[in-house]
Amino acid sequence: MLVMDYSMIPWIGIGAAGLAILFAAYLTSWILSRPAGTERMQAISKAVQEGAMAYMARQYKTITVVGVIVAVALALALDWQTAVAFVVGAFFSGLCGFIGMSVSTRGNTRVAEAAKQGLAYGLNVSFKAGTVTGMMCVGLALLGVSGIFLAFYDPHDLSHTVHVLVGLGFGGSLIALFARIGGGIFTKSADVGADLVGKVEAGIPEDDPRNPATIADNVGDNVGDCAGMAADLFETYAVTAVGAMLLGYLIFGGAEYVLYPVMLGAVAIIASIIGVFFVRLGKDNNIMGALYRGVWVSAILALIGFYPVTTWMLGSATMFYAAVVGVVATVLIMYITDYYTSSHFRPVKSIAHASQSGHGTNIITGLSVGMESAVPPTMVIVAGILAAYYVGGGGDYGVYAIGIASMAMLSMTGMIVALDSYGPVTDNAGGIAEMAELPPEVRNVTDALDAVGNTTKAVTKGYAIGSAALAAIVLFADYTNALKEAAEKAGAVVEYAFRLNDPLVLAGLFIGGAIVFMFSSLANGAVGRAAYSVVEEVRRQFREIPGIMEGTAKPEYGRCVDIVTKRALKEMVVPGLIPVVTTLLVGFLLGPLALGGVLIGVIVVGIYMACFQNNSGGAWDNAKKWIEEGMYGGKGSETHKAAVTGDTVGDPLKDTAGPAVNPVIKVVNVVALLIVPLVFHIVR
């Protein structure tokens, strides 16, 4: 192994993070210099901007109250350094979503204007708008991890340094959890309310300006899919990096194993920046192919860079092959999700076909597709865990190899978040084109961009679920090793083995599964309650404001925005506290064995529930859109009405509860890691 000054590696991480942030700033400048369209287009875009920013400001005020309480508790129960790391993680997570959403809500009208020049230019503007969020996500995450490590680095006490980093992961996870829940409730209550009254009852198009909920729907696309996904993958990236670093310390104790994940993150950022320039439309006008090309280029370049870094730092290429396993798992999960949610394949077509016989068969088939879809990606995760373990050589090296596979899986985060944020930008652009009554050829371009955006959003959620699963496995390994370390420091002779014949472990398993189900129930129920309020408001305006349907009177868009804002902020608190409070109660009342059971239960049940909800919702959505393209009678037919029902049921599954399960899994695991020093002695 070559001798090197490992204290320089965090500076390399900071440099790569700074490069990502500077690239995001350049893209922001480029996007804002594009023409913003007519006055009417700009007015619609401004309404979306104001609604999104107003909601985010109110959401973060609510979250700040919770954050301050948690920070004080961490400072008192653990130490002030962990509390500082928590604040940094929370701030960066919120900042990532806020900046990305700000650009996407200003990029929407520019994409609509760019569509006048054709599909290629529209793709260029929309993807770069989404890339801002992607680059900010990986840049701030690596900056946070490297910066906190450097700020509290003590070569004589590496243990304290890496344990402080857990606070950073907790801050990111907690903010992501609330952002996912609140944004998901906002976007889906507005969407469902707009669809039920606008499409089903009034028979008007999705983004028709006569629908009072259409601005709230467009705002929701940004606070849910842009800001929510950015916060989600920020915390996944940060938590995975911290988990791999902590694992390196707990198993090996050497700085090279602790800082190796930081070097992988730095290499991946450079690869992602280069990959952005390969996203351009070919002669076949295949938008999805152009986007996937960027992902492939980023992945290949990252792997090329991983090899010399691995041999340089670790003295052999063993962990490089574990990184290859992580990248392969990512690609497989993305294509599996694409298969189950794209209208090109059997699952979605089967839902559309079933819709011909009514609403009930649409729901039954959609549920069947969703349940089936949860199995293949989980099997990929199983294969990835086993492959990484044995490629790494088994034992402690094999466990560390799983951590490296998960870190490599996140090497494409910048590109993946760009694909996700591309979705709401193009969706908003289509809404602006329709509301501003632009020519049909412009709407054709925005529709083509938006159709792909629906698939990219589903695929990126699949990626987030897969990466969350591997990250959780790493965190559980951290938990078991941290228990052992805590016991040794206290001079206790205690063996912690998580056996199914132990009633405490078994009780923890069931409690962990219950967390996922209870959380999903509350999140989906919140959408139903908020959507009811939107439906009543839209019906009221149709009834009491003469001239809306004739286009001679303007709906009160702000009323719907205000309703979903208040409901989302009110409804997000209880589901957000459940994972934290339950973990603390189990840890302090039942001890570390039961808490370990909770972690296992949350991971296993959470993966299946997240995949099921995400994929069934995506499949229902694209089945409806496929019918709208002219299949089985097209728009307005009885088949279409049945498909709208399925899409309505699937909306909160794929955009509220499903994706929010990811941060739930991580929050439970990170909280468990934080309280290990306090609960290790609680045994039977």
Side-chain angles (χ1 to χ4, degrees), residues 352-668:
H353 183 268
S355 301
Q356 295 177 94
S357 55
H359 302 254
T361 48
N362 170 281
I363 299 299
I364 292 169
T365 307
L367 290 173
S368 173
V369 166
M371 291 175 184
E372 177 191 324
S373 73
V375 177
T378 307
M379 292 303 102
V380 169
I381 293 167
V382 170
I385 291 169
L386 294 176
Y389 180 79
Y390 288 111
V391 162
D396 288 341
Y397 283 94
V399 174
Y400 183 71
I402 295 172
I404 296 308
S406 64
M407 189 65 199
M409 191 175 188
L410 284 159
S411 64
M412 292 177 281
T413 296
M415 287 296 298
I416 299 300
V417 175
L419 295 188
D420 186 80
S421 297
Y422 158 91
V425 173
T426 55
D427 194 350
N428 276 198
I432 289 170
E434 184 165 314
M435 295 179 73
E437 299 178 343
L438 298 183
E441 57 269 21
V442 175
R443 185 63 208 238
N444 289 339
V445 172
T446 58
D447 281 350
L449 294 170
D450 183 30
V452 173
N454 288 312
T455 302
T456 62
K457 285 187 287 186
V459 168
T460 52
K461 289 184 180 73
Y463 166 84
I465 293 165
S467 58
L470 272 181
I473 299 299
V474 175
L475 291 173
F476 181 74
D478 284 331
Y479 175 74
T480 57
N481 281 282
L483 273 177
K484 180 180 177 182
E485 182 193 47
E488 289 175 351
K489 284 184 176 179
V493 183
V494 182
E495 181 185 353
Y496 292 103
F498 301 96
R499 300 186 178 93
L500 285 179
N501 61 356
D502 188 319
L504 285 174
V505 175
L506 199 58
L509 281 170
F510 283 109
I511 294 171
I515 290 174
V516 176
F517 269 84
M518 196 64 208
F519 174 84
S520 297
S521 170
L522 290 171
N524 286 316
V527 173
R529 291 186 290 274
Y532 178 85
S533 301
V534 176
V535 167
E536 290 298 303
E537 174 60 23
V538 174
R539 286 173 176 166
R540 182 195 69 78
Q541 292 196 35
F542 280 152
R543 184 174 61 249
E544 297 179 7
I545 303 177
I548 285 184
M549 292 303 295
E550 292 76 23
T552 57
K554 184 179 179 181
E556 297 174 353
Y557 300 117
R559 288 276 301 164
C560 289
V561 174
D562 189 56
I563 287 172
V564 291
T565 296
K566 290 178 179 177
R567 294 299 304 220
L569 295 176
K570 178 183 177 182
E571 300 274 8
M572 75 178 185
V573 177
V574 174
L577 291 177
I578 281 179
V580 178
V581 173
T582 305
T583 305
L584 292 173
L585 288 176
V586 171
F588 288 112
L589 295 179
L590 299 180
L593 289 175
L595 187 53
V598 168
L599 304 189
I600 299 169
V602 165
I603 293 169
V604 174
V605 177
I607 292 169
Y608 279 103
M609 276 292 285
C611 287
F612 161 69
Q613 294 186 94
N614 173 53
N615 294 341
S616 59
W620 267 314
D621 187 4
N622 280 330
K624 177 204 68 175
K625 286 181 167 57
W626 195 50
I627 292 170
E628 289 175 345
E629 292 174 6
M631 297 301 299
Y632 304 126
K635 291 182 180 180
S637 64
E638 291 302 313
T639 302
H640 181 238
K641 291 179 181 178
V644 170
T645 299
D647 179 40
T648 303
V649 172
D651 270 341
L653 298 182
K654 71 180 175 67
D655 289 325
T656 307
V661 170
N662 299 338
V664 166
I665 295 172
K666 265 83 62 77
V667 162
V668 170

Side-chain angles (χ1 to χ4, degrees), residues 186-187 190-191 212-221 557 560-561 564:
F186 188 111
T187 183
D191 193 2
T214 189
I215 292 294
D217 187 12
N218 280 282
V219 170
D221 289 333
Y557 300 117
C560 289
V561 174
V564 291

Side-chain angles (χ1 to χ4, degrees), residues 7 9-11 13-14 17 79-92 139-154 157-172 234 238 241-242 245 258-259 262:
S7 65
I9 292 179
W11 288 107
I14 290 173
D79 51 63
W80 67 268
Q81 295 98 327
T82 302
V84 169
F86 168 83
V87 172
V88 171
F91 177 73
F92 277 7
L140 289 174
L142 192 59
L143 178 64
V145 171
S146 302
I148 290 295
F149 184 92
L150 199 62
F152 299 113
Y153 177 59
D154 182 354
D157 188 9
L158 195 56
S159 172
H160 183 255
T161 304
V162 294
H163 280 91
V164 165
L165 282 170
V166 179
L168 176 84
F170 183 38
F234 169 92
V242 170
M245 294 169 74
V258 173
L259 293 172
V262 174

